[in-house]
Amino acid sequence: MELVKAGRNARYNDNNNNNNNFFGSIFDNIDEYEWDFGVVHAPNLVNAFALPGGIIRVTDSLLQHLYLSNGEIAALLGHEMGHVLHRHSQRRVIKQRFISTLWDAFVYEDNDGYEESFGEAVAEGLWKSASYLGDLGFSRRDEYQADAAAWDLLSATYLDNKYVLRRYHPNSVKKLLTKLWDFQGRDATATAGWESTHPGTKERIDALKEKWSKLDSRQKRRFV
């Protein structure tokens, strides 16, 4: 996964180039996780979530409704990776309920004719638990931190490293949130899950605009 490689690259860059720890320590623990990315079937639910350990799922409804570019998909995954790296998800999982959900996934059967993987079974089990969705709600502080992690991950794809094959502009984070905000205006019901678990979308867009505006011309040229 390109973003995992980018995170490793950022960590290496900070540790070896004497650049005053540009990315901070957020990527120091990126290899502690078994990153697992996937799509979960969830009709009419535009959302994405991250679980402790590096399991990240995006609903098929989000992909079907928003028509994301590759950069915007990278921004979405980077945002959810940020929740994992900051251990937001870990703090919000109620241990007993999570263990119960894992157990249910082992014996999961929904009779839909599709054989889910274990990760998909966990994901679908979580989405079917309305009370658990409430537990997964992040604070606005968490959201700003996850946005910053996504920004840094996408920025790190521009570092000079042969192992990162694609570059994703950090402004893709703002573009992703703008699409979500615009879609929310058209279909508030479908995006209710996103806003309840990822609050403050409009304010976060404004913060990302300000973040870009504060870069000087030399810094902006890095992303051309």
Side-chain angles (χ1 to χ4, degrees):
M1 174 61 188
E2 294 298 311
L3 294 182
V4 178
K5 295 176 184 177
R8 292 171 181 153
N9 197 20
R11 180 183 60 195
Y12 177 85
N13 189 74
D14 276 356
N15 291 340
N16 293 277
N17 290 344
N18 297 318
N19 66 343
N20 297 318
N21 202 20
F22 180 80
F23 291 100
S25 60
I26 181 61
F27 302 126
D28 288 352
N29 62 343
I30 197 166
D31 287 325
E32 293 180 12
Y33 303 99
E34 295 292 334
W35 297 102
D36 182 3
F37 304 89
V39 178
V40 62
H41 179 56
N44 301 316
L45 186 57
V46 175
N47 213 330
F49 66 91
L51 296 177
I55 296 175
I56 293 173
R57 291 294 181 267
V58 179
T59 66
D60 53 359
S61 293
L62 186 153
L63 298 176
Q64 291 164 4
H65 287 301
L66 296 187
Y67 305 103
L68 301 180
S69 68
N70 287 337
E72 291 158 356
I73 291 174
L76 177 64
L77 298 179
H79 177 92
E80 298 304 325
M81 288 175 68
H83 282 309
V84 174
L85 291 167
H86 281 289
R87 304 189 188 277
H88 297 156
S89 303
Q90 183 174 336
R91 295 201 302 267
R92 277 156 180 74
V93 169
I94 296 176
K95 183 177 181 181
Q96 182 176 358
R97 187 173 297 165
F98 184 57
I99 291 174
S100 174
T101 301
L102 292 180
W103 173 252
D104 290 344
F106 278 113
V107 295
Y108 183 79
E109 177 58 57
D110 61 0
N111 299 312
D112 64 357
Y114 174 75
E115 183 178 351
E116 284 87 354
S117 69
F118 175 70
E120 289 172 322
V122 170
E124 191 160 342
L126 293 181
W127 281 119
K128 288 185 175 180
S129 171
S131 61
Y132 193 92
L133 278 177
D135 295 333
L136 283 180
F138 295 112
S139 70
R140 289 173 187 256
R141 176 177 174 271
D142 291 346
E143 290 305 303
Y144 284 115
Q145 287 183 335
D147 289 342
W151 175 285
D152 285 346
L153 278 169
L154 270 58
S155 297
T157 65
Y158 282 80
L159 294 173
D160 184 18
N161 189 296
K162 64 181 179 181
Y163 298 109
V164 178
L165 303 180
R166 292 185 178 181
R167 289 179 170 180
Y168 302 109
H169 199 288
N171 264 339
S172 295
V173 185
K174 175 182 67 69
K175 291 179 180 179
L176 165 69
L177 295 182
T178 300
K179 280 190 175 180
L180 280 162
W181 181 252
D182 291 344
F183 184 72
Q184 185 175 355
R186 299 193 302 272
D187 191 340
T189 301
T191 55
W194 174 271
E195 188 62 23
S196 66
T197 56
H198 299 76
T201 302
K202 179 62 170 62
E203 293 84 355
R204 290 157 52 206
I205 293 170
D206 293 339
L208 289 164
K209 288 179 180 178
E210 183 178 5
K211 187 181 183 76
W212 176 257
S213 69
K214 288 183 175 179
L215 297 182
D216 61 35
S217 57
R218 180 185 59 83
Q219 291 171 317
K220 289 178 179 177
R221 283 198 298 271
R222 290 179 50 212
F223 304 116
V224 174

